[in-house]
Amino acid sequence: MKTEQMASSPDVADFPPELYAKPLALVGLTGLDALNNAVHRAIWDAFSNNRRPDRAPVQFKLLSASHEFPPMKPKRNSYDWYIPKGILKRNWMNKHLNELPAVVVVFYELDWDDPHWNEKRIECSSRVQSMRVALDGRNTRLAVVLIQQTVSLPTGEDVLAAERAAALCTSCELNPKSLFVLPHEDHLHGYTIRLENAFYDLAQAYYHHEARNVKGHREQLNKTTHQYLFVRHQFKVGFLNELKQDNHTAQKHYSQAYSNLLEVRVVDTNALEVKTVAGFINYKLCKIMFQQNLPRDAINQFRKHTELFRSCLGAKDLAFEHHAWMSKQFCAFGEIFEEAIRLGLPALQTQHPGFYYQQAAQHATDRKVSCEELCKHVETYPEPDPLSGESSLEFYGQRPWRPGKLSAEPPDPSKEKQGVQALQYREKNTVNHSMLIIGLLSSAISQFKTYRCPKMRRQLVVQMADEYYSSQDYGKALTLLSHMLWDYRSEKWWLLLTNILTRALNCAYLSANVQDYITLSLEALAATTQLPLPEKIRIHNNLEKLLKKLPPDPEPNVTPEEGLRAKDLWSKASRAELLTVTVEMNSITSCIESRARFTKSKYQADENVVIEVFIRSCCPQPLQFSKLSVTVNNPSYSSEFAVCDEGPSLLFTCGEVKRFACKFLPPDGGRDLQIGSLLLQLGTERCTILRFTGSGNDGGTACDAVCPELQHFRPSPVSMPDFDNIRSLTSAVIVPRDSKLDVTVIHDEPALLGEWYPIKIVVNNTEEQKLNVVGIDVMLQTSTDDASIEQATQMCDNVAGELLSLPIHFELRNMEKGATEEKVLYMRGHRTGHRNFTINASYSLTLFRDSTPVENSCLKEVSLTLPIVKPFDVNAKFFSMKFEPVTKTFAKEPFLIMPHVNCSSPCPLEIVDSSLELSQQASSVDATMKSQLRSVCLKDGEIGAEAYCVCINQAAEQPVALGVYTLQWKRKGSNSQVTSSSIMMPTIRVEASPLAVEMRLPAHGWVRTPMAVSYLIRNHTELLLELDLSMEASEAFMFAGHKQLQLRILPDSIRTLDYNLYPLLSGLVALPRLKLTPVERSDSPVHQSLLSELLERSLPSHVYVMPQAKKAATSVAVAS
């Protein structure tokens, strides 16, 4: 019972909860029946719930009508004969935080128009007076809140409300500013926010008044006998300003309190009290400085604080209390620092809370050491209990056996001795020092991890493991040390690794952990560990015993008591049924190293796969293994192959390297093989399997990873393989057997755009046996540059048949030895470029491996690249009837379309036929349109052209499409199918013309022989055209006909004029020039420039005249 009572008592260095609490103004609410009245419950919830940071810093407390407040001490008129018994009373902070409200608010249900107004007014004033009496003369502010059902009118508009409010204030002796109204119908939350702000203003006035009262006592104090009061009063003023949320003023008074405390003379009897109060004040100062964003000031204050009190040890027999106090100071500052960082304060890698948690853990360790030294002889608890009444002491930091004693009074030696003995007994039997240290180390590790300090984190984790070891929690210690082994192993810190390995071996032994003990023993036997040879021999002997299911010998640093407990655990572990232990060698630096490799990277399906395995032992003692095997993985399954299971071959001495080979038949072709792991079995009674990964990086030494390029210079015995220079090859691929099938592709490149291009595939069976089925797959290779190439390529095996989708698969069956099969495919490309085809011929045949028939797949792959080029380019040109190039034409006037076919094919092309399919807007002038390129053969670079006379009847604003030109062609001299290529003719602009002029004359004339010429003038308008015609004279001709004439041409009619020309000169002679002039009329649809242009483009200007024949000239028609 005594021990349980001591265990529940607080630690001497702990801070009281009221010191941690955030100072909030306390407001008491009375008159609310929150249990039975729904309206009152809603009001209370609105005040007390959802206290967000943006609301007023107020703490609400629900008071009953009969609530009793803390009694008020009698006022002191003078401090002349007053001697304080302590510095800071234990109940003062809690009283102002939770018991004594700054404002008491009386809630009462009363409407301004209540019919029983007078009776309720009297009852309300009675409640206020009762509360005033209960406060017993304190300065607590009183306020009244009337709960009303309706919203009052604005101030000044409701006369009745103003009168009754004044009457109620008079009756209650209340300031009108302390009377409030709370409608509870709507917007209750908004009303409560306004009310709590008003209550907060009243509370601030109260705390300001209380602080002034405390300051007023300063003039009555003197430094001789009232030094404690200087500290106490400054602390009180600072705390009241904190409640007022005036942190700047609070910091000033806390600093003054700290300065006054430093002036107090410290002796053994008051050292604990002074340090306790100093810790409280320092905590308040640092917290306020962090809140005011002054982290440097907070850190400097804490450093000054710890330097000042570091040597203030107090009673030497209670030195552990000083270490506990120092640990608490660092821990509390770390917590404040961490909270400030959570609120947005930036921290550095060199200045963060982790350092303070680490110092706290160090002082906790000093506390543990001091306790072990000072309390080792304390076995009994003194009677009567000198610590009775400890929880009811009046002042912080005082001893229960001498409460309120001044430092000048000499202590009672017997009571002091009993008190020290009681404290030592409690420290020894109730304080779990290891858990305190572990908790602080855990906080420090978390911070160092956050701020990326890995080396500090590792050091602290090792310290935590030591504490777990000290508290006999060997399992957790082993877990932490195992993690640290990984870190120090990766950084090659072999000395540190050896020390941690030794401690981890102790933990594994004391917890009888077979798996970890074997793993750690194998690592301890490695060449990298800096253990002496006798120690390695001892570890090897323990490992041999463990493999024989015998308990190992105790570790050197194990105490006899620990050894006895471990012996019992090992006896139980040894009697356990057969156990198989698997050690993952890739995570440790072991005394066994391995290399594994395929002899080559590719194996054909008809040959054995060979794996070489090299094993080296660095163990100072011989190691006997019982079995060596290798696991090989492929995408389908995993297989284990035995390499060696002979005892003599698996006996290794120190530094010996042995080579082993494993052969096996590979799976079917096209599979990747991966060396999954090497399995080395150690022992027979307790089977231990050492699993090495196939990469060959297991168990490497320090030099292996640091300077691999120097491995060639390491000496190796001539009789052994050069282990250090073996390069691992852990993957290989099983490729199909080399095919003897002959696959030939016959074609005549290049392929021409749009033609069905024949591709002949010839397969010749050159295997030594009949092939039942040969599968042919034709695949088109696509690329990221042209993903739609497959859509621009068509395939078929019969031009008249259906298309085949890519990839194409067909089979050739029952191919005898030496037989030949052919298959013709046709390819048509709709876009130029290259087509890359892959033709795979796959088949199965029976092979014999070690006289065992095995079905084996073979593959023959042929690549084919086909260029596709244009067979020709077609360009269309437009000419007038005078064979002059034009870019536009006129409605109802004929013109010529001349397609030019430019052959670009490397092989000659034969034009089978050509045609022009006109659009609806165009029509042919000739009755029939015959191909002029039919049966024409074109070679590369040659051009073929033909002409079509076309007329467009209507003008158009947009260019007019003329139609489609179609060529039917094939390669010359081939029997391939005729290919039809269609080309869209270009567009031409068509403009309207009011009239057209046509001249009909012979192809040539003869000198002095008359020739007939006719002019046809067409009116295309819907108006009557009046024109003046004139024929200019010419020196080369005499003519008969109208020289001048006035024409009247009806709408959509033709006027024909006939002339007889008599040539006088031979050669290319200029014709007489016809001239048309419009009659000057305002509504005339033609003008002179239009007529001049029309005559210029329509009428020939010259005619060829032959010289006069020596014989009689041929008669020429003459116009009548």
Side-chain angles (χ1 to χ4, degrees):
M1 185 67 181
K2 179 65 69 177
T3 304
E4 293 179 359
Q5 183 179 355
M6 287 189 296
S8 62
S9 61
D11 193 78
V12 67
D14 285 345
F15 285 169
E18 54 267 21
L19 188 69
Y20 287 113
K22 181 180 179 181
L24 298 174
L26 183 62
V27 175
L29 308 182
T30 183
L32 293 176
D33 186 3
L35 295 178
N36 303 315
N37 192 314
V39 174
H40 292 189
R41 180 66 188 177
I43 295 173
W44 169 247
D45 289 342
F47 279 108
S48 60
N49 294 342
N50 195 20
R51 302 295 305 174
R52 297 190 304 272
D54 57 339
R55 296 184 65 171
V58 176
Q59 176 188 356
F60 291 100
K61 183 176 182 179
L62 192 61
L63 307 177
S64 64
S66 58
H67 181 79
E68 294 184 3
F69 297 98
M72 185 177 180
K73 66 179 182 180
K75 293 185 178 181
R76 190 179 305 279
N77 296 325
S78 173
Y79 285 88
D80 293 341
W81 301 102
Y82 176 71
I83 299 178
K85 298 181 179 181
I87 301 177
L88 190 60
K89 291 188 176 182
R90 297 169 65 98
N91 66 340
W92 189 85
M93 284 190 289
N94 182 64
K95 178 177 68 175
H96 285 276
L97 282 174
N98 303 311
E99 297 179 3
L100 183 62
V103 180
V104 174
V105 183
V106 179
F107 284 82
Y108 190 76
E109 294 188 18
L110 180 61
D111 289 287
W112 299 123
D113 56 354
D114 192 285
H116 304 287
W117 164 259
N118 290 325
E119 293 83 351
K120 290 189 175 183
R121 176 179 60 81
I122 295 173
E123 182 182 357
C124 179
S125 62
S126 175
R127 290 189 183 184
V128 173
Q129 293 301 329
S130 299
M131 189 56 62
R132 190 174 279 122
V133 171
L135 288 171
D136 193 20
R138 293 186 181 274
N139 297 319
T140 300
R141 302 298 194 259
L142 281 173
V144 175
V145 175
L146 300 181
I147 304 174
Q148 296 185 348
Q149 297 182 357
T150 57
V151 180
S152 302
L153 295 174
T155 305
E157 296 183 10
D158 193 344
V159 179
L160 178 63
E163 293 176 354
R164 293 194 169 183
L168 183 62
C169 291
T170 303
S171 177
C172 297
E173 301 178 10
L174 194 68
N175 190 324
K177 295 183 179 180
S178 300
L179 177 63
F180 305 95
V181 175
L182 177 60
H184 65 81
E185 291 297 331
D186 298 319
H187 309 293
L188 180 61
H189 180 73
Y191 288 125
T192 53
I193 295 295
R194 295 175 62 184
L195 281 177
E196 72 180 22
N197 290 331
F199 298 159
Y200 176 59
D201 293 340
L202 293 174
Q204 282 188 311
Y206 166 78
Y207 291 124
H208 178 73
H209 185 266
E210 289 296 304
R212 288 186 59 187
N213 288 342
V214 176
K215 289 180 184 178
H217 299 159
R218 179 180 177 84
E219 297 178 357
Q220 305 178 33
L221 305 181
N222 61 79
K223 291 280 186 177
T224 304
T225 58
H226 299 148
Q227 190 66 50
Y228 284 0
L229 292 182
F230 279 98
V231 180
R232 183 191 303 175
H233 289 177
Q234 290 296 335
F235 183 87
K236 285 184 176 182
V237 175
F239 193 81
L240 290 171
N241 277 282
E242 264 197 291
L243 290 169
K244 187 185 171 186
Q245 306 304 314
D246 186 359
N247 286 339
H248 180 74
T249 306
Q251 178 188 350
K252 182 180 70 173
H253 288 285
Y254 281 138
S255 299
Q256 187 61 44
Y258 194 84
S259 300
N260 292 335
L261 185 67
L262 296 180
E263 298 177 4
V264 175
R265 181 171 173 268
V266 180
V267 294
D268 289 350
T269 54
N270 73 339
L272 178 62
E273 184 175 10
V274 171
K275 288 194 296 184
T276 301
V277 176
F280 291 178
I281 301 175
N282 176 74
Y283 178 84
K284 286 291 188 180
L285 277 172
C286 294
K287 191 167 186 178
I288 290 176
M289 289 175 182
F290 275 121
Q291 290 175 352
Q292 293 180 334
N293 200 21
L294 300 172
R296 293 182 182 273
D297 294 349
I299 293 172
N300 292 333
Q301 163 62 30
F302 181 74
R303 287 177 178 173
K304 181 183 73 172
H305 171 68
T306 53
E307 289 298 326
L308 287 172
F309 289 95
R310 188 182 300 276
S311 58
C312 186
L313 189 64
K316 294 182 179 180
D317 293 336
L318 299 177
F320 51 82
E321 284 189 341
H322 175 71
H323 296 303
W325 182 83
M326 289 293 292
S327 175
K328 185 61 183 179
Q329 302 305 303
F330 280 97
C331 177
F333 186 79
E335 292 171 352
I336 301 172
F337 200 171
E338 187 177 358
E339 180 184 1
I341 293 172
R342 282 198 303 269
L343 296 177
L345 178 71
L348 302 175
Q349 195 178 39
T350 56
Q351 188 64 263
H352 59 80
F355 292 102
Y356 299 96
Y357 288 130
Q358 180 195 10
Q359 287 296 316
Q362 183 59 48
H363 284 290
T365 305
D366 295 340
R367 175 185 182 181
K368 175 183 176 182
V369 174
S370 177
C371 173
E372 291 173 351
E373 179 182 351
L374 297 174
C375 308
K376 57 185 177 181
H377 300 300
V378 178
E379 301 294 339
T380 59
Y381 192 81
E383 292 291 342
D385 184 6
L387 302 182
S388 61
E390 184 179 20
S391 59
S392 59
L393 287 172
E394 184 179 4
F395 294 93
Y396 287 112
Q398 292 190 351
R399 302 297 186 183
W401 63 84
R402 46 177 170 83
K405 297 292 184 179
L406 296 179
S407 59
E409 299 179 11
D412 186 348
S414 60
K415 288 186 177 181
E416 287 292 322
K417 183 177 180 180
Q418 290 182 352
V420 170
Q421 181 181 349
L423 291 174
Q424 290 177 342
Y425 184 88
R426 184 171 70 180
E427 181 76 11
K428 177 181 178 180
N429 294 280
T430 65
V431 178
N432 191 338
H433 296 92
S434 294
M435 288 299 103
L436 292 175
I437 297 170
I438 289 170
L440 293 170
L441 287 174
S442 178
S443 299
I445 290 170
S446 177
Q447 294 296 321
F448 282 111
K449 183 178 180 180
T450 301
Y451 293 98
R452 299 180 181 179
C453 306
K455 293 185 178 180
M456 285 296 300
R457 182 184 67 85
R458 292 172 195 153
Q459 177 191 352
L460 297 178
V461 171
V462 174
Q463 292 181 13
M464 184 185 292
D466 290 340
E467 283 304 321
Y468 275 121
Y469 184 91
S470 176
S471 62
Q472 299 182 359
D473 193 345
Y474 306 115
K476 292 182 179 179
L478 181 58
T479 301
L480 293 175
L481 291 174
S482 299
H483 289 300
M484 292 304 100
L485 282 172
W486 181 279
D487 290 341
Y488 288 114
R489 188 185 300 119
S490 62
E491 294 190 359
K492 315 298 180 184
W493 285 40
W494 303 120
L495 180 60
L496 295 178
L497 181 72
T498 302
N499 294 334
I500 297 174
L501 196 60
T502 304
R503 177 54 63 94
L505 264 175
N506 287 349
C507 294
Y509 172 78
L510 292 173
S511 59
N513 191 321
V514 178
Q515 171 89 29
D516 289 337
Y517 193 85
I518 293 176
T519 303
L520 294 169
S521 297
L522 289 172
E523 188 164 8
L525 294 174
T528 54
T529 55
Q530 301 180 8
L531 291 173
L533 181 60
E535 179 66 13
K536 289 189 176 183
I537 295 175
R538 183 192 66 79
I539 293 174
H540 175 267
N541 294 335
N542 274 349
L543 180 60
E544 292 289 341
K545 287 184 177 182
L546 198 57
L547 295 175
K548 296 177 181 178
K549 301 190 70 174
L550 297 175
D553 295 335
E555 295 296 313
N557 298 326
V558 174
T559 62
E561 295 81 3
E562 294 174 338
L564 290 175
R565 288 195 297 269
K567 188 175 181 180
D568 294 337
L569 294 176
W570 280 111
S571 299
K572 296 177 182 178
S574 300
R575 292 193 299 270
E577 59 187 42
L578 185 62
L579 178 66
T580 299
V581 177
T582 301
V583 180
E584 297 294 339
M585 304 299 286
N586 64 322
S587 60
I588 66 173
T589 305
S590 173
C591 60
I592 302 297
E593 299 172 73
S594 70
R595 297 282 190 276
R597 67 183 181 186
F598 289 102
T599 54
K600 53 185 179 180
S601 59
K602 290 184 180 181
Y603 293 92
Q604 292 189 5
D606 57 348
E607 64 176 323
N608 285 323
V609 177
V610 181
I611 298 178
E612 289 184 327
V613 179
F614 299 88
I615 304 294
R616 179 169 68 180
S617 171
C618 301
C619 181
Q621 294 290 99
L623 276 180
Q624 175 67 59
F625 297 96
S626 57
K627 182 180 179 182
L628 173 62
S629 60
V630 59
T631 60
V632 179
N633 302 329
N634 63 32
S636 299
Y637 58 89
S638 177
S639 301
E640 181 177 346
F641 300 97
V643 178
C644 181
D645 53 4
E646 299 177 3
S649 300
L650 294 175
L651 176 63
F652 290 85
T653 59
C654 183
E656 185 176 4
V657 181
K658 291 187 178 182
R659 174 190 176 276
F660 304 90
C662 172
K663 297 181 180 180
F664 59 91
L665 295 175
D668 202 357
R671 297 295 183 91
D672 292 331
L673 295 183
Q674 182 82 23
I675 299 178
S677 60
L678 299 177
L679 303 178
L680 196 58
Q681 184 172 320
L682 183 65
T684 55
E685 297 184 28
R686 177 178 273 119
C687 179
T688 300
I689 298 176
L690 311 185
R691 185 194 302 274
F692 298 85
T693 60
S695 61
N697 296 326
D698 312 283
T701 60
C703 188
D704 293 337
V706 176
C707 46
E709 65 277 3
L710 300 180
Q711 300 305 307
H712 295 280
F713 301 100
R714 296 179 66 179
S716 297
V718 178
S719 60
M720 297 182 186
D722 190 2
F723 185 85
D724 294 313
N725 293 318
I726 296 172
R727 294 295 172 255
S728 296
L729 179 61
T730 60
S731 61
V733 62
I734 306 300
V735 298
R737 169 185 168 273
D738 288 342
S739 174
K740 297 180 181 179
L741 201 67
D742 184 17
V743 179
T744 306
V745 182
I746 301 175
H747 62 101
D748 184 16
E749 66 178 18
L752 300 180
L753 185 68
E755 75 164 338
W756 283 111
Y757 181 75
I759 303 172
K760 182 186 291 186
I761 302 174
V762 181
V763 181
N764 184 16
N765 181 11
T766 56
E767 293 283 0
E768 298 298 327
Q769 55 183 282
K770 177 183 177 180
L771 301 180
N772 295 326
V773 179
V774 178
I776 306 296
D777 293 288
V778 180
M779 296 169 286
L780 176 63
Q781 304 296 326
T782 60
S783 64
T784 56
D785 298 334
D786 190 0
S788 63
I789 192 171
E790 188 172 326
Q791 284 73 26
T793 307
Q794 292 179 333
M795 299 290 295
C796 70
D797 56 0
N798 185 0
V799 175
E802 296 181 352
L803 297 178
L804 300 177
S805 59
L806 288 166
I808 300 172
H809 175 78
F810 60 91
E811 295 179 349
L812 305 176
R813 295 184 176 273
N814 301 323
M815 290 190 66
E816 298 291 341
K817 177 182 177 183
T820 301
E821 296 282 349
E822 296 181 354
K823 179 70 174 179
V824 178
L825 297 175
Y826 296 91
M827 185 272 297
R828 179 163 65 184
H830 297 286
R831 194 165 61 233
T832 58
H834 287 78
R835 302 296 189 270
N836 298 316
F837 289 95
T838 300
I839 302 173
N840 292 334
S842 58
Y843 57 96
S844 298
L845 47 78
T846 303
L847 300 177
F848 289 89
R849 293 185 296 188
D850 298 334
S851 301
T852 302
V854 178
E855 286 291 327
N856 193 268
S857 298
C858 295
L859 179 67
K860 182 71 173 182
E861 182 176 304
V862 177
S863 297
L864 174 63
T865 299
L866 283 180
I868 299 178
V869 299
K870 285 184 177 182
F872 45 75
D873 289 315
V874 177
N875 295 320
K877 298 180 180 179
F878 305 112
F879 295 90
S880 67
M881 297 305 294
K882 296 167 60 177
F883 284 93
E884 295 176 351
V886 296
T887 58
K888 66 178 180 178
T889 186
F890 294 87
K892 299 180 181 181
E893 289 187 9
F895 64 97
L896 298 177
I897 302 176
M898 294 188 65
H900 291 70
V901 181
N902 185 359
C903 180
S904 57
S905 170
C907 58
L909 298 181
E910 180 183 348
I911 307 299
V912 178
D913 196 3
S914 65
S915 62
L916 177 61
E917 182 181 353
L918 296 174
S919 63
Q920 294 180 355
Q921 293 92 337
S923 62
S924 174
V925 175
D926 299 324
T928 59
M929 292 193 299
K930 295 182 180 181
S931 172
Q932 296 142 40
L933 293 177
R934 180 178 296 170
S935 301
V936 173
C937 181
L938 297 178
K939 297 180 180 179
D940 187 15
E942 293 182 343
I943 300 176
E946 55 182 332
Y948 296 93
C949 188
V950 178
C951 179
I952 299 176
N953 295 325
Q954 291 183 354
E957 295 181 358
Q958 300 296 329
V960 175
L962 296 176
V964 177
Y965 181 66
T966 302
L967 279 176
Q968 294 181 349
W969 56 273
K970 66 177 183 178
R971 296 183 185 230
K972 183 181 179 182
S974 68
N975 296 324
S976 59
Q977 186 179 7
V978 175
T979 303
S980 179
S981 301
S982 297
I983 301 95
M984 183 70 68
M985 290 288 97
T987 59
I988 189 169
R989 292 187 295 117
V990 181
E991 297 181 357
S993 177
L995 55 112
V997 179
E998 180 183 355
M999 182 180 182
R1000 295 178 181 177
L1001 78 164
H1004 59 85
W1006 299 86
V1007 175
R1008 302 184 190 282
T1009 303
M1011 55 186 297
V1013 177
S1014 298
Y1015 292 93
L1016 285 76
I1017 303 175
R1018 294 181 177 89
N1019 181 3
H1020 293 160
T1021 68
E1022 297 179 353
L1023 302 174
L1024 176 67
L1025 291 182
E1026 296 183 10
L1027 302 173
D1028 290 334
L1029 180 145
S1030 62
M1031 181 68 74
E1032 295 181 354
S1034 174
E1035 296 178 354
F1037 290 93
M1038 292 187 297
F1039 66 91
H1042 297 284
K1043 187 174 182 180
Q1044 289 185 347
L1045 180 68
Q1046 186 173 9
L1047 300 176
R1048 297 172 65 89
I1049 307 174
L1050 297 175
D1052 291 328
S1053 63
I1054 300 175
R1055 179 71 179 269
T1056 302
L1057 298 175
D1058 296 325
Y1059 287 85
N1060 286 326
L1061 300 183
Y1062 187 81
L1064 301 176
L1065 300 176
S1066 63
L1068 189 61
V1069 182
L1071 290 167
R1073 185 178 179 188
L1074 178 70
K1075 184 177 182 181
L1076 295 175
T1077 305
V1079 177
E1080 294 183 0
R1081 288 175 52 188
S1082 60
D1083 59 345
S1084 176
V1086 295
H1087 48 82
Q1088 185 59 52
S1089 61
L1090 179 62
L1091 291 175
S1092 300
E1093 181 185 355
L1094 174 64
L1095 297 175
E1096 181 70 25
R1097 72 171 182 267
S1098 301
L1099 301 181
S1101 59
H1102 292 75
V1103 68
Y1104 194 79
V1105 178
M1106 304 291 289
Q1108 188 174 14
K1110 293 181 180 180
K1111 298 181 182 180
T1114 306
S1115 62
V1116 179
V1118 179
S1120 57

